[in-house]
Amino acid sequence: MILVFGLGRSGLGVLRFLRARGLAARFYDDHPKEPDVRTALALGFAPDFGLEGRYTQVVAAPGVPLDHPHLKRLREEGAEVLGEVELAYRLSKTPILGVTGTAGKTSTTLFTAHLLRGQGIRALEGGNVDPPLVSVVDEAEVAVAELSSFQLERVSTFRPRVAVLLNLGVDHLDRHGSLEAYHAAKLNLLKNLTPEDALVYNAQDAKVRQAAEKSPARLYPFQPAEDPRESNLRAALAATQAYLDLLGRPLDEEALRESLRTLPHAPHRFQTFARKGKVVFIDDSIATRTPAVAAALRAAPAPIAWILGGEDKGADLAPLRPLLSRVRVILALGRDGPRMAEALGGGAEVVVIGEKDGYKAMRQAVAEALARLEQGSVLLAPLAASFDQFKDYKDRAQAFREAVFDLGGEPWTPSSS
């Protein structure tokens, strides 16, 4: 019997995947949400909220840490704990192209799938980017999977046909406990590669290069660019070429030129979406790491009202302090926002948003920002995970956008700047 541990996007995707195969399972969630439970029941699965059953396999959602006490007990009782990526690999014959790294995963995944489709290959993206990998793997000719460290820490036999390793920086120290453990999870992407597989890697990242040169896979190094989007495109071009080489197919140059003209844009990545008078609103909800937030603080029009906070992932604050001269006010929300704002120091005013409800907190933050700015920008670049107040970074972005339009913001277009 299989237990699906954790519902939400990943868990419900796993239940649909199992149902399509006629496999029996039950489900459990620490904090079950009524709509998710209704969906799971409608799919024909029963709950086990008391964890009274005996299970051979437990498919745990990425948000559930491996050291969760219930998972520990289930392992002691003989269950194998795995994630949706390992499950998809074992139960589907579709080849998987896996993309990981500290930065750039989503854009590289979207670009790669887009370029492969332009070459006439039915490529579908999923994984850490919507939808879950299990929701696309059966429909695709090749599944292009964005893979987080949370997903990769629970793989064992998983072997992508093409692995893409973008970079190894600092992130998720709150979850993994150390930089070494975080990097080890990322490098699980490479551990089962063979000479029949391909590895695309960043030739300028010393840790990445060292790991790649130990791999038996066919190597496809790429040189990153100063512009992150261009770097991600270079990785995607190398991944596309690598997969075509595995198929023994030439690159269609004309189709590639057309694909490059229509590249997709990843949502919630430094998007100016609204304005009110001379104040613009910028959604960078995905900016949870120091380099991304630093880039946002440099690019946003000053003076800036900076919305900061959530669940701190162990962010390095030092590189941000020189940029505080561009910040008029820090709106500190969520579990760790006030502490992070205090640790930053500097001359910017700090307003603590004490409201616990995420949507109400965001509305209060936007109102406080507008009370202090006559021009400049309101920037959501939280430097923290969203799960204390929101479902995910997209839900956080939605709360921001709703607050902006409720408080008089108007849609922004390039012609309105």
Side-chain angles (χ1 to χ4, degrees):
M1 176 71 78
I2 299 171
L3 176 69
V4 176
F5 195 111
L7 292 175
R9 183 178 73 96
S10 176
L12 292 175
V14 167
L15 288 175
R16 293 186 181 98
F17 184 76
L18 295 174
R19 183 190 183 195
R21 285 163 169 74
L23 294 173
R26 294 178 181 171
F27 64 88
Y28 169 86
D29 196 293
D30 278 339
H31 306 286
K33 295 180 174 61
E34 187 177 342
D36 290 349
V37 173
R38 284 201 305 268
T39 300
L41 292 172
L43 289 169
F45 296 97
D48 183 6
F49 290 136
L51 292 178
E52 297 169 352
R54 302 287 291 188
Y55 299 99
T56 55
Q57 287 184 328
V58 177
V59 184
V64 181
L66 283 179
D67 60 358
H68 190 293
H70 290 336
L71 290 186
K72 181 180 179 181
R73 179 174 69 79
L74 288 162
R75 279 194 296 266
E76 290 171 350
E77 292 174 355
E80 178 191 21
V81 176
L82 62 155
E84 67 157 293
V85 174
E86 182 74 20
L87 185 73
Y89 173 74
R90 292 187 188 183
L91 298 186
S92 176
K93 295 181 179 180
T94 302
I96 297 172
L97 190 157
V99 180
T100 201
T102 302
K105 298 185 296 298
T106 300
S107 293
T108 302
T109 299
L110 295 176
F111 291 167
T112 302
H114 175 77
L115 295 177
L116 286 171
R117 286 192 290 268
Q119 297 294 311
I121 297 169
R122 193 171 68 257
L124 297 176
E125 62 268 26
N128 197 50
V129 64
D130 275 337
L133 178 59
V134 287
S135 298
V136 301
V137 69
D138 288 338
E139 306 300 323
E141 187 176 342
V142 58
V144 184
E146 178 189 344
L147 301 174
S148 70
S149 60
F150 293 4
Q151 293 169 309
L152 287 169
E153 70 178 357
R154 59 197 67 196
V155 299
S156 54
T157 66
F158 172 64
R159 174 192 157 204
R161 292 307 318 279
V162 178
V164 181
L165 184 57
L166 299 170
N167 39 59
L168 289 172
V170 180
D171 204 0
H172 298 302
L173 300 187
D174 58 327
R175 167 71 171 257
H176 296 290
S178 69
L179 187 62
E180 293 73 21
Y182 167 62
H183 287 177
K186 289 289 191 185
L187 292 173
N188 278 342
L189 179 70
L190 280 54
K191 70 177 183 178
N192 295 317
L193 295 178
T194 75
E196 302 303 314
D197 307 314
L199 171 55
V200 175
Y201 70 96
N202 180 340
Q204 287 188 11
D205 186 309
K207 291 181 179 178
V208 168
R209 187 173 63 250
Q210 183 181 29
E213 290 172 350
K214 295 177 181 177
S215 173
R218 307 179 196 181
L219 299 183
Y220 289 76
F222 72 92
Q223 295 293 331
E226 186 172 342
D227 181 346
R229 183 175 169 88
E230 177 63 27
S231 286
N232 299 337
L233 178 57
R234 290 182 183 183
L237 287 165
T240 299
Q241 185 65 64
Y243 190 67
L244 290 172
D245 288 349
L246 292 182
L247 296 179
R249 289 175 49 169
L251 179 72
D252 185 330
E253 297 282 358
E254 183 176 347
L256 176 62
R257 286 191 291 272
E258 177 58 30
S259 295
L260 291 174
R261 285 194 288 269
T262 56
L263 283 173
H265 290 269
H268 311 307
R269 283 157 176 78
F270 202 82
Q271 293 179 328
T272 302
F273 68 94
R275 70 179 307 128
K276 185 176 183 181
K278 295 182 180 180
V279 177
V280 297
F281 299 88
I282 301 170
D283 173 5
D284 203 359
S285 184
I286 195 65
T288 61
R289 298 172 303 101
T290 300
V293 173
L297 289 172
R298 291 189 192 99
I304 301 167
W306 175 19
I307 301 176
L308 163 75
E311 295 181 345
D312 182 14
K313 301 193 294 180
D316 180 8
L317 301 178
L320 303 177
R321 292 190 179 103
L323 298 169
L324 291 178
S325 60
R326 308 192 79 245
V327 177
R328 171 74 54 79
V329 60
I330 298 174
L331 293 315
L333 49 73
R335 188 189 74 185
D336 297 321
R339 179 185 56 76
M340 295 168 76
E342 181 180 358
L344 276 166
E349 178 188 3
V350 174
V351 176
V352 173
I353 308 298
E355 173 63 53
K356 300 301 183 186
D357 178 87
Y359 275 70
K360 292 178 181 178
M362 195 64 74
R363 182 184 177 92
Q364 185 180 342
V366 172
E368 294 284 355
L370 287 172
R372 288 163 174 79
L373 292 183
E374 294 181 357
Q375 61 181 23
S377 59
V378 182
L379 170 67
L380 172 62
L383 194 64
S386 57
F387 305 116
D388 57 332
Q389 291 183 303
F390 304 97
K391 290 187 292 187
D392 51 29
Y393 76 91
K394 290 172 287 187
D395 187 38
R396 175 167 59 193
Q398 181 63 28
F400 181 46
R401 289 170 181 246
E402 286 188 12
V404 168
F405 290 122
D406 284 349
L407 293 171
E410 297 178 350
W412 180 91
T413 63
S415 61
S416 66
S417 60

